[in-house]
Amino acid sequence: MTPPHLITADDPPRPLENPRWGLDPSLTFLNHGSYGALLHPVAQAQAAYRERMERDPVRFFKSDLEGLLDGVRERLGSFLNCRPIDLALVQNATVALATILNATDLKPGDEILITDHEYQSLLNELDRVTLRTGAKVVKAEIPFPIASPDVVVERVLGAISARTRMVFVSHVTSTSGLVFPVKAIVDECNRRGIDVVVDGAHSPGQIPVDIRGLNPTYFVGSGHKWLSAPKGSGFVYVRPDRQKTFRPLALSSRVHKARPERSLFLRDYDYFGTGDYTAVLSIPQAIESMGSLLAGSWPALMRHNHELVMRGAEVVARALGVEPQSPESMIGCMATLPLPEPAAELADRPTRYDDPLQDALFERHGIVVPIWRMGAREQRVVRISAQVYNTITQYERLGEALAKELAGERAYRVSA
Ligand SMILES: Cc1ncc(COP(=O)(O)O)c(C=O)c1O
């Protein structure tokens, strides 16, 4: 029987058309960055794994799962350039970041260095961990707009002290959508013997990732963003010298069984209890399917999406009357632009998201794009994503819709 991850698309690639994707084709979907989107062959692979699990759950969990996960580690390891045996497959980056923090023996006075562009789930876990351990968080402020990647290196390295125990830095930041120069930061941390965690939730599939070349202590990744794998397909690379302490937040019923041929690290993550492993099992299909969308495979796809987001950002920036916020070298396939503030009287409008403007874009224009606040100044921003199903017309539509909705906000200010 053909393993499900070798299912190939039966129709020729038509990457610019939505019907190959699970997305609602009536939407102008400009937020691949938050939760990705699924190609049909990937959804089919996951469904095939679910069917296999349900046909004989005992065989699936007791006999087959371990080998299937090893296959995923192999494929993912070759995509990320690291050893498969150094990879743990987990539900998501949130779990991976929390596991790392809980695996680190932090003492009162220890410093955990982060930037002010890190993701909220890390900040929340840091609140809990610092309360418990007495360690403290030091935040390096990274300006936005930003002139050069060197600013990130200077600010982060400048905030390292004799008490710095670990450094967390995003490979591609969430709200600001910036590619950070992590190599220089990792190199310096390694030189000083400081644990360094690269939060790559956004990087695999958006920009090239070379874990061997980077050599961090930990590299956290998501399948369900730019690899377009199913939701719940996270992973983490753990450097061999940290694998003994990188224990799951909950230990499974199997891990006490001695298996001289298999490391505790692998056994810990071979089985985390009964659950749906089909998302991580479908990662290889996602790598194959996405990699076959364009002639030239992944490098061509990343280049296409980068060029598209650059053009899209130009269109939206023009409609907003703002300048690009960073050099092109700090852009992958997402770009963030500043928005004006609404009148104070509009501040209490209800929202399903983070800002009523996002509701308006969705309800009145069918556009899905995040509107957030970021940084110490709580600057309101819009972040656009580019995936191969997007077209330049969609960014034009966003530009027009933003201009219209912002004019409405301004008119309220004038008439209030
Ligand atoms: C930089 C970064 N880290 C971590 C996460 C958490 O990812 P997940 O929701 O898959 O746990 C995100 C989510 O957007 C993110 O952008």
Side-chain angles (χ1 to χ4, degrees), residues 34 92-94 97 119 121 170 172-174 199 201-202 222 224-225:
S34 282
N92 51 47
T94 299
L97 291 166
Y119 188 69
S121 66
S170 288
V172 181
T173 62
S174 176
D199 179 352
H202 273 287
S222 295
H224 46 246
K225 291 186 186 288

Side-chain angles (χ1 to χ4, degrees), residues 73-396:
R73 289 186 180 107
E74 281 286 336
R75 186 66 192 89
L76 192 57
S78 96
F79 189 81
L80 303 169
N81 192 25
C82 69
R83 297 191 313 170
I85 55 169
D86 297 333
L87 281 174
L89 301 164
V90 295
Q91 296 92 317
N92 51 47
T94 299
V95 167
L97 291 166
T99 310
I100 291 167
L101 273 171
N102 281 278
T104 308
D105 182 24
L106 292 162
K107 304 247 173 353
D110 283 350
E111 291 179 359
I112 304 165
L113 176 58
I114 65 171
T115 77
D116 60 350
H117 291 232
E118 299 310 311
Y119 188 69
Q120 190 64 44
S121 66
L122 172 66
L123 306 185
N124 292 343
E125 194 62 38
L126 280 168
D127 280 347
R128 180 157 68 167
V129 167
T130 49
L131 199 66
R132 196 181 70 222
T133 60
K136 80 176 210 211
V137 172
V138 173
K139 228 179 238 185
E141 282 181 24
I142 311 294
F144 188 82
I146 185 163
S148 143
D150 297 343
V151 177
V152 181
V153 179
E154 275 161 32
R155 296 283 175 102
V156 173
L157 299 188
I160 291 180
S161 80
R163 290 181 159 261
T164 306
R165 188 64 219 290
M166 61 195 315
V167 174
F168 284 84
V169 62
S170 288
H171 203 181
V172 181
T173 62
S174 176
T175 317
S176 47
L178 295 173
V179 178
F180 272 1
V182 290
K183 173 82 176 124
I185 295 170
V186 171
D187 284 351
E188 186 57 19
C189 289
N190 284 344
R191 203 182 63 76
R192 298 192 193 197
I194 298 169
D195 279 5
V196 56
V197 183
V198 176
D199 179 352
H202 273 287
S203 51
Q206 178 167 178
I207 55 173
V209 172
D210 172 7
I211 293 182
R212 212 181 295 269
L214 195 55
N215 191 26
T217 321
Y218 302 93
F219 183 99
V220 169
S222 295
H224 46 246
K225 291 186 186 288
W226 294 90
L227 292 180
S228 297
K231 282 46 168 176
S233 51
F235 48 88
V236 52
Y237 159 86
V238 183
R239 211 174 56 197
D241 61 312
R242 289 289 182 274
Q243 291 178 3
K244 271 205 175 61
T245 47
F246 185 78
R247 307 297 311 273
L249 298 176
L251 298 180
S252 82
S253 61
R254 290 192 195 160
V255 77
H256 62 291
K257 289 183 187 152
R259 302 256 314 268
E261 83 290 1
R262 204 159 173 89
S263 72
L264 177 66
F265 174 69
L266 287 181
R267 286 188 288 122
D268 262 339
Y269 291 92
D270 282 341
Y271 180 70
F272 55 72
T274 313
D276 192 345
Y277 293 77
T278 60
V280 288
L281 291 177
S282 307
I283 290 175
Q285 179 65 54
I287 294 174
E288 294 310 318
S289 293
M290 291 296 288
S292 62
L293 285 177
L294 298 184
S297 194
W298 276 99
L301 183 67
M302 291 188 235
R303 202 167 44 247
H304 170 97
N305 290 343
H306 171 75
E307 283 165 10
L308 184 57
V309 89
M310 291 307 296
R311 287 172 60 209
E314 206 181 295
V315 167
V316 179
R318 206 179 311 125
L320 291 171
V322 299
E323 295 294 318
Q325 302 293 295
S326 70
E328 183 171 352
S329 67
M330 296 186 81
I331 297 291
C333 312
M334 301 194 294
T336 292
L337 293 165
L339 294 172
E341 281 302 318
E345 296 83 349
L346 291 175
D348 291 335
R349 288 172 300 168
T351 174
R352 281 173 193 271
Y353 306 100
D354 294 294
D355 190 292
L357 179 57
Q358 183 169 341
D359 301 57
L361 290 170
F362 175 69
E363 285 159 17
R364 291 203 272 270
H365 307 273
I367 297 173
V368 179
V369 74
I371 310 286
W372 286 319
R373 289 186 178 275
M374 57 163 287
R377 287 190 299 120
E378 298 257 299
Q379 163 76 58
R380 187 161 73 147
V381 294
V382 55
R383 185 192 73 188
I384 59 169
S385 292
Q387 188 45 278
V388 73
Y389 51 74
N390 291 125
T391 61
I392 202 68
T393 319
Q394 295 182 314
Y395 302 100
E396 287 165 0

